[in-house]
Amino acid sequence: MKYTHQVRAKKHLGQHFLKDEGIAQRIAEVVPFDGVAKVLEVGPGMGVMTKYLLDQAHVETWVIEIDTESVSYLQAHYTALSARIIEADFLKWNPALAFGEEPFALVGNFPYNISSQIVFKVLDLRDTIPLFGGMFQKEVAERLCAPPGNKTYGILSVLCQAYYDLTYDFTVPPEVFSPPPKVESGVMHMVRKKTDPGVGYQELKRTVKAAFGMRRKTLRNALKVLNLPSGFDHPLLSQRAEQLSWQQFVELIVAIEHGRAQP
């Protein structure tokens, strides 16, 4: 039986369905699919962006959707995609089940309520997700791309910028969604850097989280929770977290590790 009716937007899933075809096409084209053979779309809903991803001849489009109603709609309307529809929660899903160790691009119109969790998962999977992008709440997209010294600059800004080159692409107004959200949206994308920052990801994440945990204090006070080496000092300790670039965080971590190695 053909699934004909429209999918209901579900508040608990943070669903706002994009209804502007032009914007859907622009989002589908912001990520450069260089060097990957597969693209995974998170939360395709009724496939407004999916159709434009399917037009990308040199990549194979997959989708992952937690909403069973949306899955039924996609199976009925995108029969060529049916074998590549994954019904699962992206945050709990293991990409190796579908792709093994093969790198893939990740795109989506990301639910506002879990967008930060999605970005943290991308960072965990950074070696298999070299390309990432899509639509977020505008302030989240701006925060990811914000430079040091900006009031929105934070933990995810530092971590993303340490591993990826980021671009804020364009702003999307609320009225192009059904139902319209209460805020503007922002589209951005990230391309994996060719070299890693030079310190372990977990150490960088732990240090950055501690620094921004008390962002009003200098790093000398904020980083006390890391049990700094006795007598350790560094010029960057007089700064606050939001003033440091990812390179300066790396510099500070290297100095701390050197201090710990001293007899």
Side-chain angles (χ1 to χ4, degrees):
M1 180 178 174
K2 182 102 170 144
Y3 193 96
T4 56
H5 68 271
Q6 300 286 294
V7 176
R8 295 175 300 106
K10 298 164 188 67
K11 189 173 183 179
H12 73 281
L13 293 177
Q15 289 176 328
H16 296 276
F17 293 129
L18 183 63
K19 58 185 183 180
D20 187 302
E21 295 284 342
I23 290 176
Q25 183 172 7
R26 285 180 71 189
I27 299 171
E29 294 173 352
V30 296
V31 174
F33 297 124
D34 301 328
V36 295
K38 293 180 173 66
V39 56
L40 176 68
E41 181 186 2
V42 175
M46 289 181 282
V48 65
M49 189 167 83
T50 312
K51 65 172 76 74
Y52 298 108
L53 292 172
L54 288 167
D55 286 343
Q56 307 273 351
H58 62 293
V59 288
E60 182 179 79
T61 299
W62 290 63
V63 300
I64 183 166
E65 176 60 72
I66 194 173
D67 179 23
T68 55
E69 193 180 13
S70 291
V71 169
S72 296
Y73 184 94
L74 292 166
Q75 288 171 337
H77 292 266
Y78 294 86
T79 52
L81 187 68
S82 59
R84 301 192 302 276
I85 299 173
I86 302 165
E87 186 172 354
D89 179 350
F90 174 72
L91 294 177
K92 298 175 182 176
W93 177 70
N94 180 2
L97 296 174
F99 305 143
E101 297 300 313
E102 184 181 358
F104 62 97
L106 187 75
V107 301
N109 171 14
F110 301 108
Y112 293 162
N113 55 345
I114 59 166
S115 57
S116 293
Q117 293 167 265
I118 288 172
V119 177
F120 273 119
K121 177 149 186 175
V122 168
L123 287 164
D124 286 338
L125 297 169
R126 61 197 176 278
D127 292 330
T128 51
I129 303 181
L131 303 163
F132 170 64
M135 184 153 50
F136 297 84
Q137 184 172 334
K138 185 185 179 186
E139 68 174 41
V140 173
E142 288 180 332
R143 182 183 307 134
L144 296 176
C145 300
N150 189 294
K151 65 179 181 180
T152 63
Y153 184 72
I155 295 168
L156 279 173
S157 316
V158 178
L159 295 178
C160 286
Q161 290 171 32
Y163 291 93
Y164 292 86
D165 293 316
L166 286 76
T167 303
Y168 185 94
D169 295 293
F170 59 95
T171 301
V172 181
E175 58 267 22
V176 300
F177 296 92
S178 178
K182 293 184 171 70
V183 294
E184 289 185 311
S185 300
V187 176
M188 55 76 63
H189 73 276
M190 314 191 322
V191 177
R192 186 78 155 86
K193 294 179 186 291
K194 296 192 183 304
T195 56
D196 279 355
V199 296
Y201 173 66
Q202 292 303 327
E203 185 63 23
L204 178 60
K205 183 178 178 182
R206 188 167 75 105
T207 304
V208 172
K209 279 192 165 185
F212 282 95
M214 292 187 284
R215 66 184 298 153
R216 292 182 182 277
K217 295 189 175 183
T218 65
L219 293 173
R220 192 180 311 281
N221 292 312
L223 297 184
K224 282 181 179 178
V225 295
L226 300 182
N227 298 317
L228 298 179
S230 177
F232 177 78
D233 198 17
H234 192 282
L236 290 174
L237 291 178
S238 63
Q239 304 289 308
R240 294 190 305 276
E242 65 190 44
Q243 296 174 286
L244 266 64
S245 66
W246 70 264
Q247 294 97 330
Q248 289 174 311
F249 271 107
V250 169
E251 177 189 339
L252 187 56
I253 290 168
V254 169
I256 292 170
E257 290 177 347
H258 181 73
R260 287 194 176 121
Q262 298 304 305

